[in-house]
Amino acid sequence: MAYYHCLLFDVDGTLLDFSASEQAALKETFEHYGFERKKEMQARYAEINASLWAALERGEIKQDKLVIQRFEMLFQEFQVKAKPAEVNEFYLSQLAARADAFEGVQELLQELAEVATLAVVTNGVERVQKKRLEQAGLTKYFDGFFISSKVGATKPSRKIFDAALRELGVENREKVLMIGDSVKADIVGGKNAGLATCWCNFSGQDSAGTVKATYTIEHLQELMNIVMEPEELVNVGNPEKRHQI
């Protein structure tokens, strides 16, 4: 049996390369609307968006307000005449069209799904996240999708984790691992829910002063050594033999 029987995954920055998707979607959006100073606007948008998502995690703003306000703030700063809600809709459609999965993600999930229950726990926009996961060919590996706007709770609140585990029928939290790239949302959230946590530090961030995760990985493939027992690792790539353990 695997060390962890249930794996909860964040999406952006964990399974999918959100930075690549965001940049491409913004480029398409700004070109579509003919905005000038596109590079400056793109860089400033990323800063504004990050600050608003941090506010969401603190419970200071709702997602439906966030997605509009980020463009309101951007357009005001650059004195752009455009409708924030309309631009946001176009941007989300472009974002949803991009999968940009990290290398080896599908093969990894295929192996992990043989030994554990997999589910998504994300604060992202529901229609965007589901479409991107579907386009990346990843939805088939998950037994549940728990999205903050649908659940009515945002990471790091333990409520979203409680809802996920309740629906998945998981009672033993010692066998659950939360995996994500955000210390404030994923690691703090997992700890709030009494779960082991795995910080995906793919960019080599300085961990000093951050909440300590149970595990820290620099490559997603390292998860197999955390989740699987030696007997299962030997049979990676051969699910039929692994079922006989």
Side-chain angles (χ1 to χ4, degrees):
M1 293 291 288
Y3 291 120
Y4 292 99
H5 302 165
C6 179
L7 309 179
L8 304 179
F9 284 89
D10 176 48
V11 176
D12 290 323
T14 302
L15 300 174
L16 304 182
D17 186 347
F18 180 75
S19 179
S21 297
E22 178 187 59
Q23 290 177 29
L26 283 173
K27 183 175 183 293
E28 290 291 333
T29 300
F30 291 172
E31 289 181 352
H32 175 80
Y33 285 95
F35 296 153
E36 298 180 358
R37 301 172 64 188
K38 290 187 284 291
K39 289 185 178 180
E40 294 176 67
M41 288 181 68
Q42 197 161 328
R44 182 60 182 135
Y45 169 89
E47 295 174 351
I48 293 172
N49 192 48
S51 68
L52 289 174
W53 280 101
L56 178 83
E57 293 168 3
R58 295 192 299 268
E60 298 171 358
I61 190 173
K62 298 294 185 182
Q63 189 186 94
D64 59 341
K65 301 294 183 184
L66 180 158
V67 294
I68 307 300
Q69 188 173 337
R70 58 191 178 183
F71 285 107
E72 288 177 342
M73 294 171 65
L74 183 70
F75 295 162
Q76 183 176 10
E77 187 171 322
F78 283 84
Q79 298 182 330
V80 170
K81 292 184 179 180
K83 298 178 180 179
E86 177 187 316
V87 174
N88 177 66
E89 280 300 309
F90 184 88
Y91 165 71
L92 290 181
S93 69
Q94 298 302 307
L95 186 61
R98 301 194 62 89
D100 293 309
F102 285 122
E103 184 179 357
V105 165
Q106 185 158 348
E107 293 79 5
L108 172 72
L109 294 180
Q110 184 175 6
E111 292 292 342
L112 294 176
E114 291 289 335
V115 300
T117 296
L118 276 53
V120 163
V121 179
T122 175
N123 286 344
V125 178
E126 181 180 6
R127 60 190 172 96
V128 174
Q129 299 296 61
K130 283 191 171 181
K131 187 173 181 181
R132 292 174 69 219
L133 287 169
E134 183 178 329
Q135 289 187 333
L138 305 181
T139 54
K140 59 188 175 184
Y141 300 114
F142 295 102
D143 294 296
F145 298 88
F146 304 94
I147 302 174
S148 60
S149 58
K150 189 173 182 180
V151 175
T154 302
K155 294 183 295 184
S157 169
R158 68 171 290 155
K159 291 181 181 179
I160 190 169
F161 299 98
D162 289 345
L165 298 180
R166 184 167 54 249
E167 186 168 324
L168 292 169
V170 175
E171 296 182 357
N172 186 359
R173 298 192 179 213
E174 292 183 359
K175 293 295 185 178
V176 180
L177 181 66
M178 176 62 208
I179 303 146
D181 71 305
S182 171
V183 172
K184 291 182 179 179
D186 303 314
I187 306 309
V188 173
K191 284 179 172 290
N192 286 343
L195 311 178
T197 57
C198 180
W199 181 32
C200 298
N201 186 15
F202 299 154
S203 58
Q205 299 177 52
D206 184 0
S207 61
T210 63
V211 175
K212 186 173 178 59
T214 312
Y215 309 95
T216 298
I217 59 175
E218 295 181 356
H219 304 283
L220 204 54
Q221 284 68 26
E222 294 175 52
L223 266 179
M224 282 196 283
N225 291 322
I226 294 172
V227 174
M228 294 182 177
E229 294 190 0
E231 294 84 357
E232 293 167 323
L233 287 170
V234 169
N235 293 312
V236 165
N238 188 354
E240 290 185 6
K241 190 172 182 180
R242 188 160 57 243
H243 283 313
Q244 298 172 11
I245 296 175

